[in-house]
């Protein structure tokens, strides 16, 4: 298993600003992912964070809005850029070595 | 499109009773997984059942899989207040490559255990 530390745990941001969320895993993992969970909804995969190369984004998500970094096998960041109230959501970092996912505790983002 | 759909959306039972949640999906799968999410927290992996398995146990959890009906159930026996959480099924569709990046989550069942 892997232990994932995600920060910040919550933030309240102004429209038009950006927020960077950090995700640290306690061991090297093959894959890291970023999900969004809107209130009362399921998880939606934003992108797969690729070590040393550009992230792979799912349909409906673009790099300009959600730039992602993964400089090594244990760390990744997600930036939510030029935020609007529609970006208010929980953002979850996850990691996997094979089939199962391990999750960070999430970042609850509110945009005013 | 949404792969897994949990039923019911919400369930409230008395402590000590058994809780059953169901998940239906649309396409053939490699495996199906159940996760738990406590309020405002990340998800925790509970159990994985492969397409060639019919039943799996882990402590007080029992998962069944019926590939002919494209459905799964999660049974929690002798429920406790600490079991209060949202429970999600996630399916790994056949042809997705078999990795965790192919998982699709349902909307979840919110379970409340009344003390």
């Amino acid at each position: 298993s892997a232990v994932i530390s995600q920060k910040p745990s919550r933030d309240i941001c102004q429209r038009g600003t950006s927020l960077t969320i950090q995700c640290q895993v306690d061991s090297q993992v093959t894959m890291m992912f970023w999900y969004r969970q809107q209130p009362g909804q399921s998880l939606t995969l934003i992108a797969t964070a690729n070590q040393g190369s550009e992230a792979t984004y799912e349909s409906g998500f673009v790099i300009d809005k959600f730039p992602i970094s993964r400089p090594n096998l244990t760390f990744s960041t997600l930036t939510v850029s030029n935020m609007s109230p529609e970006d208010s959501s929980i953002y979850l970092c996850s990691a996997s070595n094979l089939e199962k996912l391990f999750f960070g505790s999430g970042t609850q983002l509110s945009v005013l | 499109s949404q792969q897994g759909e949990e039923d019911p959306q919400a369930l409230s039972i008395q402590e000590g009773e058994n809780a059953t949640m169901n998940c239906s999906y649309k396409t053939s799968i490699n495996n199906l997984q159940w996760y738990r999410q406590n309020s405002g927290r990340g998800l925790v992996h509970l159990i994985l059942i492969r397409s060639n398995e019919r039943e799996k146990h882990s402590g007080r959890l029992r998962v069944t899989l019926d590939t002919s009906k494209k459905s799964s159930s999660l049974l929690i026996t002798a429920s406790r207040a600490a079991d209060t959480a949202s429970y999600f099924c996630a399916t790994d569709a056949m042809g997705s490559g078999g990795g965790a990046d192919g998982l699709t989550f349902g909307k979840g069942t919110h379970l409340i255990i009344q003390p």
Side-chain angles (χ1 to χ4, degrees):
Chain A
S1 65
V3 176
I4 301 176
S5 300
Q6 185 175 338
K7 59 181 181 180
S9 59
R10 60 179 64 233
D11 208 341
I12 300 172
C13 300
Q14 295 296 320
R15 182 195 299 259
T17 62
S18 298
L19 175 72
T20 295
I21 303 168
Q22 297 183 1
C23 178
Q24 179 73 54
V25 189
D26 70 341
S27 59
Q28 293 185 347
V29 289
T30 307
M31 307 186 81
M32 293 183 73
F33 309 97
W34 289 96
Y35 285 86
R36 183 173 73 184
Q37 185 181 26
Q38 294 178 311
Q41 297 297 311
S42 180
L43 280 71
T44 301
L45 180 63
I46 298 172
T48 301
N50 299 310
Q51 192 257 329
S53 64
E54 191 172 291
T56 304
Y57 290 85
E58 297 299 306
S59 175
F61 298 97
V62 295
I63 188 171
D64 289 347
K65 176 66 176 177
F66 298 102
I68 289 170
S69 78
R70 190 179 173 193
N72 55 52
L73 291 174
T74 64
F75 185 78
S76 178
T77 66
L78 167 74
T79 299
V80 186
S81 302
N82 188 25
M83 288 184 284
S84 68
E86 291 71 34
D87 295 320
S88 297
S89 190
I90 296 174
Y91 292 85
L92 293 156
C93 169
S94 69
S96 172
N97 276 329
L98 191 60
E99 296 169 309
K100 304 173 191 177
L101 286 171
F102 302 97
F103 285 86
S105 55
T107 296
Q108 188 159 353
L109 172 62
S110 297
V111 184
L112 305 179
Chain B
S1 62
Q2 198 76 38
Q3 172 71 314
E5 292 286 343
E6 291 90 344
D7 169 57
Q9 291 186 341
L11 178 63
S12 180
I13 62 173
Q14 294 294 317
E15 193 167 20
E17 294 179 341
N18 296 339
T20 300
M21 290 158 273
N22 303 297
C23 172
S24 60
Y25 56 92
K26 295 185 173 69
T27 63
S28 297
I29 59 171
N30 295 312
N31 67 66
L32 184 146
Q33 304 179 33
W34 286 91
Y35 290 80
R36 183 186 74 228
Q37 183 179 35
N38 291 90
S39 179
R41 309 293 294 176
L43 281 73
V44 174
H45 182 270
L46 295 176
I47 199 163
L48 180 154
I49 187 165
R50 301 189 190 283
S51 61
N52 61 352
E53 298 175 309
R54 293 296 166 256
E55 187 170 312
K56 210 159 182 182
H57 297 255
S58 176
R60 293 184 295 112
L61 304 180
R62 173 178 168 249
V63 169
T64 62
L65 180 64
D66 187 335
T67 53
S68 67
K69 295 181 180 178
K70 292 186 169 57
S71 68
S72 173
S73 68
L74 170 66
L75 169 67
I76 304 174
T77 60
S79 63
R80 306 167 181 170
D83 294 328
T84 295
S86 291
Y87 292 82
F88 293 86
C89 70
T91 50
D92 176 26
M94 204 167 284
S96 68
D101 57 335
L103 286 178
T104 304
F105 287 82
K107 290 188 177 181
T109 291
H110 185 49
L111 175 65
I112 297 173
I113 308 299
Q114 306 277 4

